[in-house]
Amino acid sequence: QVLCFQLPCGGSVYIVESKGEMVMIDSGFGIYHHEIMDMLTAYGLDLSGLKRIYMTHADADHAGGGGFFDVPTVMHPGSQEIIRYSNRAYGSKMEGSILGAVYTTLINLFSGFNPPTNVEVLSAAPSGEMCGLPVLGEFTVGGLKFKVLESLGGHEHGHLFFLCEDEGLLFTGDCLINFGSFTEEREKFATLATILMNSVNVDSERASKERKCLLGIAKDLDAKLGTGGKRLLICGGHGAVSTLESGKLTTFGEVMRYAPDPSLYPARGA
């Protein structure tokens, strides 16, 4: 099973479980950790069996809760350096801009950034390519085989994508998102980074290219899966899980709202 938990602000947290093996993709803001754990428990998930966290990129809303878990977090070496230097523009043509460093410092502070300390760093040497994206390796979850694809560095240096071709799962992080699925509140929050940094992407030209690459992969694989009655599910870093309909991302399945008991968090509810 694949479960997507969209948080009020910031990135989504995914749980992938197959044949008794469980992994997490991205960990959300650190400040949400206790609420995330309560939410996962409410949906019957026992994270004592969690094996690994696979991190798409180093932004606080995707990596900020990794330090709360004892399991290894798998990341690109570029993400490790972004965390080390506290600058999301590291490794890009915008590295010298003060905006990236200031934004990273602020968001890390306000969001309770607790990055992974138990880290497995991938080799950045590609073993091939797929639709113009470097392939850095593979991993399995309960027999499901995932390819690890490297971005072109448009949204952020070291950004990764995870693709399971057999089951039709593509985790795209912040490089391909169904913005049409956003609630009004989430849409407002998404504008803050743009206001503070002018753009959420460190290289807009490369960001455009990597979106085209991802859409190309999605279109080809969805057509292939369709012959067997399956669909490709696009799991973006924000918003709902989606399918590709006439070239547009469309929400897949039912989206449920989780409402925690406010008495559990009196300090925040006061």
Side-chain angles (χ1 to χ4, degrees):
Q1 65 173 344
V2 178
L3 296 172
C4 170
F5 296 92
Q6 301 180 59
L7 306 181
C9 301
S12 298
V13 172
Y14 289 92
I15 299 293
V16 180
E17 191 172 17
S18 176
K19 297 180 180 178
E21 189 170 356
M22 178 190 294
V23 301
M24 179 184 289
I25 295 178
D26 289 344
S27 56
F29 277 133
I31 200 170
Y32 288 149
H33 176 70
H34 297 296
E35 288 89 339
I36 290 171
M37 296 303 290
D38 288 342
M39 179 172 59
L40 297 180
T41 299
Y43 283 94
L45 293 169
D46 178 8
L47 263 64
S48 64
L50 186 69
K51 298 297 183 184
R52 274 178 175 74
I53 299 171
Y54 289 90
M55 198 177 87
T56 59
H57 62 295
D59 278 340
D61 57 332
H62 296 268
F68 290 106
F69 299 93
D70 292 330
V71 300
T73 294
V74 180
M75 67 175 71
H76 189 282
S79 292
Q80 188 178 45
E81 293 303 287
I82 287 171
I83 293 171
R84 177 186 174 193
Y85 288 105
S86 191
N87 183 3
R88 72 180 306 275
Y90 174 87
S92 75
K93 67 180 184 180
M94 299 298 293
E95 186 173 335
S97 169
I98 192 65
L99 293 178
V102 170
Y103 175 82
T104 307
T105 301
L106 288 173
I107 198 68
N108 288 358
L109 176 65
F110 295 149
S111 69
F113 192 50
N114 185 13
T117 55
N118 184 353
V119 173
E120 291 183 2
V121 180
L122 289 168
S123 168
S127 58
E129 73 167 43
M130 186 174 189
C131 290
L133 298 175
V135 178
L136 298 187
E138 295 180 345
F139 65 89
T140 59
V141 180
L144 298 179
K145 184 184 293 185
F146 286 82
K147 285 183 178 178
V148 179
L149 307 178
E150 184 181 22
S151 78
L152 303 177
H155 181 70
E156 188 171 281
H157 175 55
H159 197 303
L160 298 174
F161 314 123
F162 309 120
L163 172 65
C164 179
E165 294 176 275
D166 291 338
E167 289 300 319
L169 297 170
L170 176 59
F171 294 89
T172 62
D174 284 3
C175 297
L176 191 58
I177 293 171
N178 181 358
F179 291 103
S181 69
F182 281 21
T183 61
E184 183 180 353
E185 293 84 357
R186 191 172 286 116
E187 194 171 307
K188 287 180 179 178
F189 176 80
T191 65
L192 295 178
T194 302
I195 292 170
L196 292 170
M197 295 187 296
N198 297 325
S199 173
V200 296
N201 298 316
V202 296
D203 190 321
S204 295
E205 185 177 347
R206 291 188 180 190
S208 179
K209 288 181 180 178
E210 61 198 12
R211 279 195 297 272
K212 290 179 181 178
C213 291
L214 288 169
L215 285 170
I217 291 171
K219 182 179 178 180
D220 291 345
L221 185 53
D222 192 46
K224 180 179 178 182
L225 290 166
T227 61
K230 292 184 178 181
R231 295 299 306 273
L232 173 72
L233 299 183
I234 299 170
C235 306
H238 301 254
V241 174
S242 304
T243 54
L244 196 61
E245 309 294 344
S246 301
K248 294 183 178 180
L249 295 179
T250 303
T251 299
F252 173 81
E254 181 184 3
V255 177
M256 296 180 289
R257 182 177 178 85
Y258 168 74
D261 182 349
S263 68
L264 295 174
Y265 313 104
R268 297 184 192 179

